[in-house]
Amino acid sequence: MGKMFSVPRGTIDILPEQTYLWKKLEVTAARIIERYGYREIRTPLFEETELFAKCIGQTSDVVNKQMLNLAAQKQGCERTLKLSGLSLRPESTASIVRSYIKNNLDKKERLSKLYYIGPMFRGERPQRGRLRQFHQIGVEAIGPDSSVPYLDAEVIALAVHILEACGIRDFSLMINSLGSAEDKKRFSGILRRKIQPFLKDLCQDCQSRFERNVFRVLDCKNTRCRTVVRQITMNEDCLSDASRRYYADVCRALEDIGIPFKQDPFLVRGLDYYTHTVFEITSSGLGSQDALGAGGRYNHLVEQLGGPRIGAVGFALGIERMLLATGGQEDTPSRRTGAHIVVMDEQWFKDGFALLNRLRRDGIQTDMSFRTGSMKSLMRSADKNRARDVIILGEEELKKGTFSVKDMGTGVQSEMESYEKMKRHLERANHAENAHVR
Ligand code: HAM
């Protein structure tokens, strides 16, 4: 017997019963995002590894431990693929900033509002809500006109709006400000001073994080490190006056539009590029992987990648976690849709196939059983297909040029004397159905 292949660890097959839910969520999110003026951008699934290292940070877990690098294929290939130095994207912010600069978007508009939906890749230890290939819905607002507190508030309000529109209610929004690059330096100095007395209590990783990037200690999931972090209090204000004012304006804008949030002075995020506002949205029902989404402002990234000195702000929501939070309660739509042709004898397949093609070209969702059998078993197939109408093609119908149409909901069968009449009947049913869905 041949080898049975499994899905790679940390990845999933999304079967038709679930793609319905995925598409519904993606369409809902995209519709709302577009209402806020964002336009879709699609960038490659892989980029230069160095791009991610530069943006996300050499000391981050994402770059240090989770990057999925593409290996060079040398022997045995007709054409040598030059893949070394490339990695699957662990997130999209870096790629979008790269694309923004490369395509001179700053010369075309004062504010580029971009969104994306797609797979990301991180070599993490898989568990519930944590995959190696996962999917994000994200937005990035980049440009000379992006450095205003209202835009931070808009981006946060958008994330909340999407979650609510997808039926997710039980979540909390935490926000913090890291301040400017100078404020961040001050923050890191204060943290170092506070953590220093507990250094020996930290895990091995955090002892080196303490030297290289002390913010990472705050994110560590190790219980010993969490105990240390819980002991320290942050009563010093690391923010400059300007940064404090900016942060206060973001909070006020959120309050003004009734978005509830809590401030968390220890929220720092695991990616290096953030400055000023950072936020995270968590759901208590998700277990240890409780972040539905996160984001913040990154005012130096565009310049750091060789672009102009302009600010940016954005977020990404994890689709798998959003679906976990909705509880997947909804199933495949059980309502009946479209028409289904059944043919009583193989010799009439030709006529059935032509009718199938004509109806589809005329905009009617139609399918056909390419088999013969008893009327009962053919009807059973159409029923399994959740067909709304069954078109029966038998000797009599073909001789007379009529069509027998059975409504699978009511069980009523009617004879239609022409193709046009049947088409109108199916169109009416289609219309009624769509009106019901809207
Ligand atoms: P992030 O916090 O790394 O931020 O990821 C955002 C969301 O993606 C998480 O809150 C989570 O829902 C989901 N996610 C992350 N890793 C996994 C995983 N291994 N399995 C399943 N879901 C996962 C970013 O990616 C930033 N680029 C967000 C951003 C955009 N900041 C500014 N603009």
Side-chain angles (χ1 to χ4, degrees):
M1 211 167 62
K3 177 181 167 182
M4 184 104 89
F5 290 96
S6 303
V7 70
R9 201 164 124 75
T11 67
I12 51 164
D13 293 320
I14 307 165
L15 298 175
E17 304 91 83
Q18 291 125 24
T19 48
Y20 164 71
L21 291 174
W22 278 73
K23 276 172 90 169
K24 198 170 150 200
L25 189 144
E26 287 164 2
V27 168
T28 305
R31 233 181 247 156
I32 292 169
I33 292 171
E34 284 174 11
R35 209 185 289 166
Y36 282 65
Y38 289 77
R39 290 178 305 145
E40 190 181 2
I41 180 167
R42 298 184 188 196
T43 57
L45 296 193
F46 55 87
E47 300 267 358
E48 283 183 55
T49 309
E50 204 187 331
L51 170 75
F52 300 120
K54 209 164 171 184
C55 293
I56 299 168
Q58 286 287 4
T59 61
S60 67
D61 279 354
V62 173
V63 168
N64 243 340
K65 301 182 180 169
Q66 300 163 2
M67 289 281 268
L68 294 175
N69 304 323
L70 300 178
Q73 305 252 311
K74 286 216 176 84
Q75 288 132 22
C77 285
E78 238 171 62
R79 270 186 302 150
T80 303
L81 297 174
K82 289 225 165 61
L83 292 177
S84 55
L86 299 175
S87 295
L88 293 175
R89 62 180 189 191
E91 56 110 56
S92 261
T93 311
S95 313
I96 287 169
V97 172
R98 193 258 319 127
S99 171
Y100 176 89
I101 298 168
K102 187 77 194 142
N103 294 295
N104 293 313
L105 293 190
D106 63 301
K107 312 249 164 28
K108 297 179 187 148
E109 48 199 8
R110 301 273 313 163
L111 181 62
S112 298
K113 295 173 97 176
L114 308 164
Y115 82 92
Y116 50 92
I117 300 181
M120 310 292 154
F121 307 86
R122 295 184 193 176
E124 302 202 70
R125 205 157 41 80
Q127 64 179 88
R128 184 173 184 259
R130 189 164 74 187
L131 291 145
R132 289 184 173 167
Q133 177 177 327
F134 60 98
H135 299 76
Q136 286 184 342
I137 298 174
V139 310
E140 314 292 347
I142 314 172
D145 284 355
S146 76
S147 291
V148 280
Y150 278 111
L151 198 64
D152 302 51
E154 174 190 285
V155 156
I156 296 172
L158 173 54
V160 168
H161 193 164
I162 295 170
L163 293 175
E164 286 175 352
C166 292
I168 302 167
R169 296 272 173 274
D170 172 30
F171 59 81
S172 16
L173 165 65
M174 310 299 288
I175 77 168
N176 189 26
S177 173
L178 303 175
S180 62
E182 295 76 53
D183 296 337
K184 261 178 98 173
K185 251 187 233 142
R186 199 161 35 243
F187 188 10
S188 129
I190 293 174
L191 269 181
R192 250 200 210 101
R193 235 183 309 118
K194 300 225 169 200
I195 292 175
Q196 175 82 55
F198 308 101
L199 199 51
K200 58 177 187 336
D201 300 329
L202 297 179
C203 74
Q204 210 63 46
D205 271 354
C206 278
Q207 300 207 2
S208 85
R209 284 177 185 141
F210 177 83
E211 294 302 334
R212 299 194 298 158
N213 190 341
V214 69
F215 293 128
R216 304 262 176 265
V217 177
L218 303 187
D219 275 340
C220 185
K221 296 278 187 274
N222 185 301
T223 20
R224 272 162 45 208
C225 303
R226 293 202 109 156
T227 316
V228 169
V229 170
R230 266 198 297 270
Q231 280 176 51
I232 54 179
T233 43
M234 273 308 283
N235 32 26
E236 288 95 334
D237 199 341
C238 312
L239 302 183
S240 66
D241 285 349
S243 302
R244 200 175 315 119
R245 267 198 308 276
Y246 191 96
Y247 183 41
D249 285 347
V250 175
C251 294
R252 200 168 310 115
L254 287 172
E255 278 158 9
D256 286 349
I257 54 168
I259 304 270
F261 63 89
K262 284 199 199 98
Q263 296 186 39
D264 176 359
F266 286 126
L267 180 66
V268 289
R269 311 270 303 114
L271 315 166
D272 268 2
Y273 46 64
Y274 293 111
T275 50
H276 295 278
T277 318
V278 284
F279 68 97
E280 196 163 86
I281 303 177
T282 54
S283 168
S284 55
L286 290 182
S288 66
Q289 301 305 309
D290 61 353
L292 285 166
R297 177 162 283 285
Y298 46 98
N299 278 352
H300 300 293
L301 192 56
V302 180
E303 191 183 11
Q304 211 178 306
L305 292 184
R309 179 183 281 194
I310 51 175
V313 59
F315 70 78
L317 298 170
I319 298 186
E320 285 82 356
R321 294 188 193 173
M322 287 171 72
L323 287 168
L324 279 175
T326 60
Q329 7 48 352
E330 234 181 310
D331 221 280
T332 322
S334 57
R335 64 196 172 86
R336 299 178 174 281
T337 54
H340 193 99
I341 301 171
V342 299
V343 173
M344 302 312 297
D345 193 295
E346 213 167 305
Q347 59 176 308
W348 301 313
F349 271 2
K350 186 171 162 297
D351 303 275
F353 191 54
L355 177 63
L356 176 69
N357 187 53
R358 191 172 175 194
L359 282 168
R360 284 173 173 170
R361 293 277 176 165
D362 280 345
I364 310 283
Q365 179 197 327
T366 316
D367 218 330
M368 175 175 163
S369 300
F370 293 111
R371 67 176 184 89
T372 53
S374 68
M375 187 59 147
K376 200 168 157 197
S377 84
L378 290 174
M379 281 298 177
R380 210 177 301 127
S381 304
D383 190 44
K384 262 206 167 141
N385 236 359
R386 305 302 294 154
R388 189 194 52 229
D389 292 288
V390 175
I391 305 166
I392 304 157
L393 276 194
E395 190 171 13
E396 213 181 305
E397 284 86 2
L398 285 165
K399 222 189 273 160
K400 290 199 283 183
T402 60
F403 302 90
S404 295
V405 180
K406 181 168 178 174
D407 183 318
M408 296 297 276
T410 62
V412 176
Q413 188 165 322
S414 4
E415 192 166 314
M416 315 264 160
E417 63 267 24
S418 68
Y419 173 81
E420 286 307 322
K421 188 160 179 214
M422 176 188 67
K423 195 183 97 182
R424 271 199 304 279
H425 170 82
L426 297 175
E427 275 168 351
R428 267 199 302 275
N430 243 354
H431 185 74
E433 193 170 82
N434 289 339
H436 167 253
V437 169
R438 269 196 297 268

